[in-house]
Amino acid sequence: MRSSGASGAKSSTVGRVINVSTSLTRHTSPATSVYFASKAAVEALSRTLAAELGPRGIRANSIAPGPTATDFNGGAMRDDAEMRHGLARQTELGRVGEPEEIGDAIATLASEGLRWVTAQRLEVSGGALL
């Protein structure tokens, strides 16, 4: 058991590690095996870092974006209306995400409001492929 100091005292974290994974670690898609495996390793790294760095007040988590309109894959999710429509039908919110929404989730995960959160994977996918 690790001690947090004085009983009942709030302690601030001194650092944060936020690794970027993908929603593909929860579901599959053809021709993504190497990408999937590398991102699953990122999630395992995040959990291991949480155990190693936690005693020093450093939180480690991963964020797993779903289909997002970025330049990933040549900008297809951003620029190809047919692809966007098809992916939007696979999300509970009926659309692909915007880069700012992923940034907002990262900022929230890094905030002091979530100072008790470590070793977690936060999926930001609009409910993709539930």
Side-chain angles (χ1 to χ4, degrees):
M1 177 186 291
R2 294 185 180 117
S3 173
S4 64
S7 177
K10 275 190 181 179
S11 65
S12 292
T13 53
V14 297
R16 294 133 182 94
V17 174
I18 301 174
N19 291 311
V20 179
S21 181
T22 177
S23 65
L24 287 173
T25 61
R26 183 179 52 80
H27 56 84
T28 61
S29 181
T32 62
S33 59
V34 173
Y35 181 71
F36 168 90
S38 68
K39 292 301 189 170
V42 165
E43 291 180 14
L45 173 66
S46 297
R47 289 187 306 274
T48 302
L49 286 174
E52 292 176 0
L53 301 176
R56 297 191 312 201
I58 300 170
R59 298 186 288 124
N61 294 289
S62 59
I63 190 151
T68 306
T70 66
D71 60 356
F72 180 77
N73 199 21
M77 283 184 255
R78 179 191 61 216
D79 302 333
D80 184 330
E82 187 176 326
M83 177 181 271
R84 282 178 71 109
H85 179 71
L87 291 168
R89 288 192 333 246
Q90 296 177 4
T91 71
E92 295 304 317
L93 296 181
R95 62 182 179 81
V96 300
E98 296 298 326
E100 295 81 10
E101 293 169 309
I102 306 306
D104 290 345
I106 291 170
T108 300
L109 192 55
S111 74
E112 275 298 300
L114 294 182
R115 65 188 165 273
W116 188 236
V117 177
T118 195
Q120 300 303 305
R121 172 192 182 274
L122 175 62
E123 183 166 322
V124 185
S125 70
L129 296 170
L130 294 179

